[in-house]
Amino acid sequence: MTRSLNVLTDEQLASFEQEGYLIVRGVWSEAEVNEIKRTFEAIGAQPVPGYFEPDLSGTADDPLKRYPRVMHPHRFNEVSKKYMLHPGVLAILEDLYGEEALAAQSMFYYKPPGSRGQALHQDNFYLKVEPGNCIAAWAAIDRCDEDNGCMLLVPKTNTYDIVCPEVSDSRESFTTHYVKPPKEEKPIPAVMEPGDILFFNGNLIHGSYRNKSKDRFRRAFISHYANVGATKISHWYNPLYRADGTELTLDTNPDGGPCGIETPAYH
């Protein structure tokens, strides 16, 4: 049965439902991308305890120590909150969900030259949205390609169960979890331009390449969302936000996932 859509085409919705992801080109304008750049250049200059804790000594041997990811910037920065609740993004999410989207989390990745990538994983292992699922909106702030560490997507794994991860290769991944993709599906690169946004289902297996470039950052602003019909989420993600900025709290999901344990904050 075809449902009414606000901004996406029937073909885009069908592609998302079949492949588990959708890249929407040019969601954010050059001016919007530049506003995000300026905002995180300022944030990147000093620590924000609990959210962004860089090593500013100039002696760090790992570029990610100088430029770690910024966690939940919407909790201390109004520009981040504005883009997490961007009307264009929320309209796309409403089409994908078939109902209102609630914003659960924001992040910013600097990913400087030489940075390790992120091992393949599944987002709803961590967010534990029930019933329904989380959807990520991964916005490119720089051109993202295989050289500077673009996203890796394993198509059609959106229908796979959430599984307990294995241990990743710490030489290539800054995170410790790894989900092995099925033999019949190979990871593909998501090449994107600034302002493009990649949307993907919480079960989709995905990760990223190492940044092999000499002088190119691969900056990205990422938010995660839950459907308004969800009643539970991992406690790391409360409170959530409606489009007007109103806060609401879902029940804490006590399920430890397929590993049977409480999973530490990861995204």
Side-chain angles (χ1 to χ4, degrees), residues 87-145:
V89 173
L90 293 178
I92 293 168
L93 286 161
E94 187 169 334
D95 281 352
L96 296 177
Y97 274 129
E99 59 181 313
E100 179 187 352
L102 304 176
Q105 186 202 24
S106 63
M107 296 186 294
F108 188 84
Y109 283 61
Y110 294 94
K111 199 162 188 180
S115 300
R116 288 171 292 166
Q118 187 169 6
L120 295 172
H121 61 282
Q122 297 168 294
D123 283 352
N124 211 38
F125 177 80
Y126 308 98
L127 277 85
K128 302 183 188 128
V129 173
E130 290 182 354
N133 208 331
C134 64
I135 293 178
W138 196 103
I141 305 303
D142 300 298
R143 175 178 165 82
C144 304
D145 51 44

Side-chain angles (χ1 to χ4, degrees), residues 36 40 68-70 73 106-110 141 219-222:
I36 296 173
F40 283 93
R69 56 188 171 177
V70 187
S106 63
M107 296 186 294
F108 188 84
Y109 283 61
Y110 294 94
I141 305 303
R219 292 168 291 186
F221 184 88
I222 305 108

Side-chain angles (χ1 to χ4, degrees), residues 59-173:
T59 61
D61 57 353
D62 181 349
L64 289 177
K65 291 181 180 177
R66 170 59 186 91
Y67 285 106
R69 56 188 171 177
V70 187
M71 303 298 290
H72 289 303
H74 68 277
R75 293 183 179 176
F76 66 87
N77 178 266
E78 285 301 313
V79 173
S80 299
K81 186 175 180 181
K82 178 176 76 170
Y83 282 97
M84 182 181 73
L85 297 176
H86 189 281
V89 173
L90 293 178
I92 293 168
L93 286 161
E94 187 169 334
D95 281 352
L96 296 177
Y97 274 129
E99 59 181 313
E100 179 187 352
L102 304 176
Q105 186 202 24
S106 63
M107 296 186 294
F108 188 84
Y109 283 61
Y110 294 94
K111 199 162 188 180
S115 300
R116 288 171 292 166
Q118 187 169 6
L120 295 172
H121 61 282
Q122 297 168 294
D123 283 352
N124 211 38
F125 177 80
Y126 308 98
L127 277 85
K128 302 183 188 128
V129 173
E130 290 182 354
N133 208 331
C134 64
I135 293 178
W138 196 103
I141 305 303
D142 300 298
R143 175 178 165 82
C144 304
D145 51 44
E146 292 173 77
D147 188 50
N148 73 342
C150 70
M151 287 285 283
L152 280 170
L153 310 170
V154 185
K156 299 181 176 64
T157 54
N158 53 307
T159 59
Y160 280 65
D161 289 339
I162 297 293
V163 300
C164 184
E166 302 173 12
V167 177
S168 67
D169 181 352
S170 62
R171 295 168 298 180
E172 293 297 324
S173 173

Side-chain angles (χ1 to χ4, degrees), residues 11 15 22 41 43 49 54 71 79 83 101 105 173 176 188 193 217 238 244 258:
E11 291 76 18
S15 178
L22 176 69
E41 283 169 3
I43 289 173
M71 303 298 290
V79 173
Y83 282 97
Q105 186 202 24
S173 173
T176 58
I188 61 171
E193 298 295 337
F217 279 68
N238 273 316
D244 63 0

